[in-house]
Amino acid sequence: MSSSSNVTAPTLAKIQSFAFSGLEAVPVTVEVQISNGLPAFLVVGMADKAVGEARERVRAALAAMGLALPPKRILVNLTPADLPKEGAHFDVPIALGLLVAMGVISSESIINYAAIGEVSLDGRLNPINGVLCAALGAAILDLGLICPKSQGVEARWGHPNIDILAADNLLALLSHFRGEQILTPVSEPQFQEPDYGPDLADVKGMKLGRRVLEIAAAGGHSLLMSGPPGTGKSMLANRLAGILPDLTREEILETSQIHSISGMLQAGRLVTRPPYRAPHHSATLPAIIGGGAKAKPGEVSLAHNGVLFLDELPEFTRSCLESLRQPLETGSVSIARATRHATYPARFQFIAAMNPCRCGYLGDSERACHKAPRCGADYLSRISGPMLDRIDLQVEIRPVSPIEISRAPRGENSETVRKRVCKARERQLKRQGVCNAIALPEEFNLEEDAQSLAEQAAVKMRLSNRAITRLFRVARTIADLDGSNSIRRADIAEALSYRLRGQ
């Protein structure tokens, strides 16, 4: 029998990378094999078009370094094979796997690293989405992370002890692994000075609006403001995020992961303040909830641990408004597609504003609506009863006269109000571990006359069980702002006054 000594054994290289499912970085092993056969470059393992195009990008990048692929059969396998792989971030692990299989660098040099990044035709490493998530995934696997230099600081936030190799280009990585020029360690990231946004001191008068905004911030409650155009509804909403407490360390990491996977982290700076999102009423359902071909986060997830403000609420499509019901109750949103399923956190404060009718002047004696009261009823009917039932605070903002605006002194600034809000939040966390907006009313201490008033109002106003629960939560927040250990009759009465049109 003749021997096959002229056939060389195929060379195999392996390196770790990640695919993203929601915020989770799912480990993916990139296997590169070079064997005898007709020259070919194949990528298998449920790779999408962007991953498949890595063949040409990597080939050109290696050529820019003066390296040519061998005229052999090159097979790249992404395991697990039944997991969809999307995006150009597999370029770097494929390129490194090829360098190992070609014998340019040793397999021992990359065995303790995961890699992520897009490669340009000249060998530069371009930034990609999800580096923070990948760094957290690498830390779980006890691996270092190779990433583009511009995102080294972002990767460092994943874990203080993992080894981060942040390079400008493939040549810098090659020199590092060959010991010719060691990459500079990534510097320790620093928290940026928080931006509190517009100051509440700019709001003159509007005692009701300022009061309800403080209650919403203190308890994490949802809020609907109704009133004619120009009464200051949007101005109030824009200042809500500035009076909310700073995010905790866990909230910073979770919120920043969402922004990282969406490609919205700037210069590696984490999100340290509650995010404020205000999409236009022309936004589509996938833009609000999330989705698209790659099931990306929507506005409800980008507002996680922050504020989602919908101005001109009835102008949003019915499907968009109804889709908010699940995240308002559960604090998360699930996106199902034919090829994948993703779940993103979506615990946000829902703030909305609307005109009383289409023309905006229902109830205004000087500019009376000619179709009243039918115009107002038809306009409000665009928002379903179950949706209104999920809004804790519903108030009518009346116009402030020009004389009052010109003579009214500047109100309290955001810092002063924020201190009261933080103190009320501390009471809630100490008592039940969560803010009042999601707490169980069984944990609240109601005085007897307060309980009696709530029962009478529930019968007279025909409040649903959900509305009664939210009534108790708002009253508990009012009591917390006053430093009371129990819910008093006055707290219930004030909470009842924040129910728009009997809702």
Side-chain angles (χ1 to χ4, degrees), residues 24 55 70 99 102 169 215 229 247 255 271 279 300 315 394 400 406 419 428 444 452 460:
E24 181 186 3
R55 297 171 300 185
L99 291 175
M102 292 163 60
N169 49 59
I215 294 172
L247 298 180
T255 306
V271 181
V300 296
E315 300 298 332
Q394 303 167 23
V400 180
S406 63
K419 289 178 179 178
Q428 298 164 37
F444 302 157
S452 176
K460 185 175 181 180

Side-chain angles (χ1 to χ4, degrees), residues 196 199-200 210 214 217-219 239-246 273 412-428 480-483:
Y196 293 99
D199 200 309
L200 195 58
R210 293 177 62 96
E214 183 174 343
R239 284 153 178 77
L240 174 60
I243 63 175
L244 292 175
D246 290 334
R273 288 288 303 157
E412 289 181 306
N413 59 27
S414 293
E415 183 179 359
T416 302
V417 178
R418 186 167 59 251
K419 289 178 179 178
R420 289 199 300 267
V421 168
C422 291
K423 190 173 182 180
R425 284 284 183 101
E426 289 171 2
R427 294 174 62 90
Q428 298 164 37
D480 284 332
L481 284 170
D482 288 342

Side-chain angles (χ1 to χ4, degrees), residues 20-31:
F20 299 109
S21 178
L23 299 185
E24 181 186 3
V26 182
V28 171
T29 302
V30 179
E31 301 176 327

Side-chain angles (χ1 to χ4, degrees), residues 253-307:
L253 194 57
E254 189 174 37
T255 306
S256 298
Q257 280 183 265
I258 300 172
H259 286 247
S260 175
I261 207 73
S262 303
M264 297 177 61
L265 282 188
Q266 299 297 323
R269 293 192 295 267
L270 297 192
V271 181
T272 58
R273 288 288 303 157
Y276 177 83
R277 305 294 300 179
H280 190 261
H281 57 74
S282 61
T284 62
L285 180 61
I288 298 293
I289 295 300
K294 298 184 179 181
K296 293 299 183 182
E299 293 291 340
V300 296
S301 296
L302 293 171
H304 181 62
N305 291 322
V307 177

Side-chain angles (χ1 to χ4, degrees), residues 137-335:
I140 294 174
L141 298 177
D142 197 23
L143 295 174
L145 183 68
I146 300 168
C147 67
K149 185 175 183 178
S150 61
Q151 296 180 298
V153 175
E154 179 181 340
R156 173 57 66 200
W157 286 111
H159 197 280
N161 298 325
I162 67 172
D163 187 12
I164 304 295
L165 293 183
D168 273 327
N169 49 59
L170 277 179
L171 185 59
L173 282 176
L174 177 60
S175 300
H176 176 85
F177 287 128
R178 292 171 66 92
E180 298 170 355
Q181 187 173 356
I182 304 302
L183 288 171
T184 305
V186 176
S187 60
E188 291 297 323
Q190 301 294 325
F191 281 105
Q192 303 293 315
E193 190 68 24
D195 180 12
Y196 293 99
D199 200 309
L200 195 58
D202 300 333
V203 180
K204 292 185 176 182
M206 301 183 67
K207 294 179 63 175
L208 173 62
R210 293 177 62 96
R211 171 64 174 171
V212 76
L213 198 72
E214 183 174 343
I215 294 172
H221 301 290
S222 52
L223 167 65
L224 171 61
M225 295 177 285
S226 175
T231 53
K233 304 183 295 295
S234 299
M235 181 174 64
L236 283 169
N238 291 339
R239 284 153 178 77
L240 174 60
I243 63 175
L244 292 175
D246 290 334
L247 298 180
T248 65
R249 193 171 187 86
E250 294 76 15
E251 291 172 339
I252 288 173
L253 194 57
E254 189 174 37
T255 306
S256 298
Q257 280 183 265
I258 300 172
H259 286 247
S260 175
I261 207 73
S262 303
M264 297 177 61
L265 282 188
Q266 299 297 323
R269 293 192 295 267
L270 297 192
V271 181
T272 58
R273 288 288 303 157
Y276 177 83
R277 305 294 300 179
H280 190 261
H281 57 74
S282 61
T284 62
L285 180 61
I288 298 293
I289 295 300
K294 298 184 179 181
K296 293 299 183 182
E299 293 291 340
V300 296
S301 296
L302 293 171
H304 181 62
N305 291 322
V307 177
L308 177 66
F309 174 52
L310 301 188
D311 202 1
E312 306 296 344
L313 184 65
E315 300 298 332
F316 284 81
T317 63
R318 187 65 172 257
S319 59
C320 284
L321 295 182
E322 294 305 302
S323 65
L324 294 175
R325 288 161 57 175
Q326 178 206 351
L328 281 173
E329 288 292 330
T330 64
S332 64
V333 60
S334 296
I335 303 169

